[in-house]
Amino acid sequence: MRKTPPDQPPLLDQIDRRILAELQEDGRMTNVELARRVGISAPPCLRRVRRLEEAGVIRGYHADTDPALLGWQVMFFAIVGLESQKQSVLDAFEQMVGAWPEVRECHMIRGGGDFILKLVARDTAHENELTRRLTGAASVARVTTLQTIRTAKDAAGVPIPPE
Amino acid sequence: MRKTPPDQPPLLDQIDRRILAELQEDGRMTNVELARRVGISAPPCLRRVRRLEEAGVIRGYHADTDPALLGWQVMFFAIVGLESQKQSVLDAFEQMVGAWPEVRECHMIRGGGDFILKLVARDTAHENELTRRLTGAASVARVTTLQTIRTAKDAAGVPIPPE
DNA sequence: GCTGAAAAGCATCGCCT
DNA sequence: AGGCGATGCTTTTCAGC
């Protein structure tokens, strides 16, 4: 089957893409420097950045901090299976782990009733305690943890395609 | 090169912690606004930020972009087991996936010879292709993929403890 | 360590091409 | 759409506390 829709006027042109790539790399770059790098002057560059922010393409800017230097020596993933796929159970689980500061990410997995979580812990004892809290939580059927011992890659953002 | 950190006294005081919490939330906040929020004037606030950057506590700043709006409709994790735990095999695998733009994170897992990867794909066909590329890569023994269908939480940075 | 003033640089607006 | 020039803020340095 052929592709259905003809391409609309590209919402993002080449300059927008370069802006996004630059700001994903250094989100605190000044607008003047950004404009210089993408080859336009500062005012239209700022207009483009604002437009990208308002369109939701840029959702925000965040400092990237070193977990170990802040006392989070352990990072681990947890794959959590629930006993039910009822919406109310899923929602309750998301709400619970959403309130735990150690849970940094929570994604529902295709297939039903499973989640993958990314967590930080101060040390192994803390990790064990968090795992026990997960295992013992309401509606949790099984928990598998994967402790990371080395991060070979941790890239910001997503690839910006050349198009 | 080796550097011995001479830090037994609290390297981070209460103000530093508030600076980190604010910049994790909004990495593009002006220094004047940051200083106002943490209750000091701008010059010492800027000095503290520079010190945190130079100490490696702040590793960088990144724009947070919307994957779906940039054409990455699928996010998934892959748990990859290798056939060997030899260092040269582990290194070769890390180097290979490190060069794939679709691989956003690659963590070695405790237990030996396993990795967890976070990837983005344009669509399900692209996801399948990436999975096949992983499965067929040198030294890869098994691949389990977990496609995310909903992200309930995706927090920036790490918790800043009150201490 | 902090404050305050001052110089340089930046963000941002209005207007023009 | 992009660029130029003007204005007000912000950043940054430098004194002095």
Side-chain angles (χ1 to χ4, degrees), chain A residues 12 20 23-31 53 55-67 69-70 72 75 77 79 87 91 94 97-111 115-116 118 120 124 127 146-161, chain B residues 12 20 23-31 53 55-67 69-70 72 75 77 79 87 91 94 97-111 115-116 118 120 124 127 146-161:
Chain A
L12 302 177
L20 290 168
L23 289 179
Q24 280 187 168
E25 273 310 300
D26 178 4
R28 233 178 138 77
M29 187 183 301
T30 68
N31 182 59
E53 289 167 354
V57 179
I58 297 176
R59 295 189 291 207
Y61 305 88
H62 306 287
D64 168 33
T65 52
D66 187 319
L69 291 181
L70 292 169
W72 306 102
M75 202 222 300
F77 291 86
I79 297 165
Q87 193 63 44
D91 290 349
E94 288 183 350
V97 298
W100 295 12
E102 296 94 343
V103 174
R104 306 316 291 166
E105 299 181 26
C106 171
H107 310 273
M108 192 185 295
I109 290 172
R110 193 169 79 176
F115 290 86
I116 183 165
K118 186 183 194 175
V120 291
T124 306
E127 179 195 357
L146 307 169
Q147 186 184 327
T148 70
I149 54 173
R150 166 170 155 182
T151 294
K153 181 173 186 175
D154 190 3
V158 294
I160 306 295
Chain B
L12 304 177
L20 291 168
L23 288 179
Q24 280 188 167
E25 273 310 299
D26 178 5
R28 234 180 138 78
M29 186 182 303
T30 68
N31 183 59
E53 289 167 354
V57 179
I58 297 176
R59 296 187 291 204
Y61 304 87
H62 305 287
D64 168 33
T65 52
D66 187 318
L69 290 181
L70 291 169
W72 306 102
M75 202 220 302
F77 291 87
I79 297 165
Q87 193 62 44
D91 290 349
E94 288 183 349
V97 299
W100 296 12
E102 298 92 344
V103 173
R104 306 315 291 166
E105 299 181 27
C106 172
H107 310 273
M108 192 185 295
I109 290 172
R110 193 169 78 177
F115 290 86
I116 183 166
K118 184 184 195 174
V120 292
T124 306
E127 179 196 357
L146 306 169
Q147 186 184 330
T148 69
I149 53 174
R150 167 172 154 180
T151 294
K153 181 174 185 174
D154 191 4
V158 295
I160 306 296

Side-chain angles (χ1 to χ4, degrees), chain B residues 27 43 49 102 109 117 122 130 147 150 159 163:
Chain B
V49 171
E102 298 92 344
I109 290 172
L117 277 55
R122 285 186 294 277
L130 289 167
Q147 186 184 330
R150 167 172 154 180
E163 182 129 337

Side-chain angles (χ1 to χ4, degrees), chain A:
Chain A
M1 185 171 160
R2 298 273 321 150
K3 283 269 146 260
T4 25
D7 282 330
Q8 309 211 357
L11 202 54
L12 302 177
D13 65 10
Q14 203 57 45
I15 295 179
D16 287 324
R17 270 187 265 278
R18 294 198 53 195
I19 288 174
L20 290 168
E22 293 288 347
L23 289 179
Q24 280 187 168
E25 273 310 300
D26 178 4
R28 233 178 138 77
M29 187 183 301
T30 68
N31 182 59
V32 168
E33 172 67 9
L34 179 61
R36 191 191 64 72
R37 293 196 186 199
V38 304
I40 60 179
S41 63
C45 185
L46 187 62
R47 267 181 257 139
R48 282 168 177 268
V49 171
R50 293 287 176 261
R51 204 185 91 234
L52 292 167
E53 289 167 354
E54 273 151 35
V57 179
I58 297 176
R59 295 189 291 207
Y61 305 88
H62 306 287
D64 168 33
T65 52
D66 187 319
L69 291 181
L70 292 169
W72 306 102
Q73 311 253 352
V74 176
M75 202 222 300
F76 66 107
F77 291 86
I79 297 165
V80 179
L82 301 190
E83 287 163 351
S84 156
Q85 300 188 30
K86 281 178 57 182
Q87 193 63 44
S88 60
V89 171
L90 305 180
D91 290 349
F93 178 78
E94 288 183 350
Q95 200 176 338
M96 178 188 72
V97 298
W100 295 12
E102 296 94 343
V103 174
R104 306 316 291 166
E105 299 181 26
C106 171
H107 310 273
M108 192 185 295
I109 290 172
R110 193 169 79 176
D114 281 11
F115 290 86
I116 183 165
L117 277 57
K118 186 183 194 175
L119 300 98
V120 291
R122 284 185 294 279
D123 48 36
T124 306
H126 187 204
E127 179 195 357
N128 289 339
E129 192 226 309
L130 289 166
T131 303
R132 276 197 304 275
R133 271 165 64 191
L134 276 177
T135 307
S139 306
V140 169
R142 54 198 175 281
V143 177
T144 306
T145 61
L146 307 169
Q147 186 184 327
T148 70
I149 54 173
R150 166 170 155 182
T151 294
K153 181 173 186 175
D154 190 3
V158 294
I160 306 295
E163 180 130 339

